[in-house]
Amino acid sequence: MTAHPSGLVTEAFEAQRERLRAVAYRVLGSHADAEDVVQEAWMRLVRQDEATIGNLAGWLTTVVGRISLDLLRSRQAHPETAYGHEHADLVVTPHDEPAPDEQVALADSVGLALLVVLDSLTPSERLAFVLHDMFAVPFHEIGQILGKSADASKMLASRARRKVQATDRPAGPGREHREVVHAFRAAALGGDFEALLRVLDPNVKLTVDTPGGVVVTLGATEVAAGARMFSGEVARHRPVLVNGIPGHMSWRPDGTPLSVIAFTVAEGRITGIHIVVDPAKLASIQLSAPA
């Protein structure tokens, strides 16, 4: 027989909903997945005997953490599904000084840039780092989610922290980022193969979201050889930040979005290029073509 939570428990869950959604989002990097995880946590609460829950907030955090961890591990086991999450939630803002009403969107974009770094962590490292460093969850509770001791969970978070500190860049891409992206565009437009190789990391990954699915190309030679896709004449384009990463957005002459390109830059070279040409994803971007 299905239990029905009391009004007090329902009220307490609603009070926790935003925090739970934030936890799941930081772990998974997708608003849609975070919503699904929180809904699943509610369904499990409905089936749970309230008398067995001593600390509802802690119980819910544990449930959300375990569901999120399972989903992360599923992505790792099926890498082809993970590609679709790299920029699952596109936040595109002009790459210039924001107007006051753009500050909130830009702050969200800068926060999303961290998700790119978190993608380099193992599922256990990511969960431990997010729960402890972002939400101050004690290590003994994290250990219960991971099936590890508190000390082991602390070591996972510490290792993740070192990776983040080694990889993360200051908020707001600087001049070097812009110069590298500009050099790539100039080389692509000019068909300069050698110049392209100079700005591409040898292990660069190109990911293209198309209406028919995601296409991935690995390696500087292969990416440079296909760079003619960047050389088409575009009526209007502008520099943008895509989830905090420097890039460009282009529009057709009639003003409809054509593509969004985001570049990940490290140590003076492009390590990742993500292109979105899927009209369904482009339609969600609230940014008008320049005059």
Side-chain angles (χ1 to χ4, degrees):
M1 183 176 179
T2 302
H4 295 281
S6 67
L8 288 177
V9 170
T10 301
E11 184 178 335
F13 176 84
E14 290 302 326
Q16 293 288 324
R17 183 184 289 274
E18 286 302 319
R19 184 182 68 84
L20 297 172
R21 186 185 291 119
V23 169
Y25 174 62
R26 287 300 182 188
V27 173
L28 297 169
S30 164
H31 287 299
D33 284 347
E35 289 286 355
D36 289 344
V37 166
V38 173
Q39 184 61 27
E40 175 61 23
W42 165 251
M43 296 305 297
R44 294 190 185 187
L45 178 60
V46 168
R47 298 190 294 267
Q48 185 73 21
D49 182 357
E50 298 175 24
T52 65
I53 302 176
N55 178 349
L56 181 62
W59 186 90
L60 287 169
T61 299
T62 298
V63 171
V64 165
R66 285 175 177 163
I67 299 171
S68 299
L69 183 63
D70 287 344
L71 187 50
L72 276 182
R73 287 171 173 166
S74 175
R75 288 184 192 172
Q76 190 178 58
H78 303 88
E80 68 277 5
T81 64
Y83 290 132
H85 286 81
E86 291 183 4
H87 293 289
D89 300 291
L90 289 172
V91 178
V92 180
T93 54
H95 192 178
D96 47 30
E97 289 299 319
D101 60 353
E102 294 171 342
Q103 290 286 357
V104 173
L106 182 56
D108 190 24
S109 173
V110 170
L112 284 167
L114 177 62
L115 295 174
V116 177
V117 181
L118 295 182
D119 279 342
S120 68
L121 307 179
T122 67
S124 295
E125 287 172 343
R126 181 163 177 161
L127 187 78
F129 174 77
V130 168
L131 290 183
H132 181 267
D133 285 41
M134 297 183 181
F135 296 95
V137 176
F139 284 119
H140 73 272
E141 293 184 18
I142 296 173
Q144 291 174 1
I145 299 172
L146 295 174
K148 299 179 181 295
S149 67
D151 287 342
S153 299
K154 186 174 183 179
M155 289 179 63
L156 282 169
S158 178
R159 189 163 64 214
R161 194 177 304 114
R162 288 195 299 270
K163 290 182 180 180
V164 170
Q165 291 170 348
T167 309
D168 202 8
R169 297 291 185 269
R175 178 177 297 178
E176 180 189 30
H177 289 70
R178 293 192 296 270
E179 289 177 350
V180 171
V181 171
H182 178 75
F184 174 86
R185 287 179 58 81
L189 290 171
D192 190 335
F193 187 80
E194 293 301 321
L196 285 167
L197 291 180
R198 286 195 293 271
V199 297
L200 291 172
D201 184 88
N203 298 313
V204 62
K205 181 172 78 172
L206 168 64
T207 306
V208 185
D209 279 327
T210 75
V214 177
V215 180
V216 177
T217 303
L218 300 175
T221 301
E222 290 76 9
V223 172
R228 59 181 175 273
M229 72 176 67
F230 299 93
S231 62
E233 183 176 351
V234 177
R236 286 178 281 183
H237 62 85
R238 69 186 301 177
V240 295
L241 292 178
V242 185
N243 294 1
I245 298 174
H248 275 78
M249 183 166 180
S250 303
W251 290 263
R252 296 183 179 84
D254 64 1
T256 58
L258 176 63
S259 66
V260 169
I261 305 176
F263 299 87
T264 303
V265 178
E267 299 181 356
R269 288 193 171 189
I270 295 172
T271 58
I273 304 174
H274 191 104
I275 307 175
V276 179
V277 294
D278 182 358
K281 290 189 175 183
L282 293 174
S284 68
I285 300 173
Q286 303 299 313
L287 188 63
S288 301

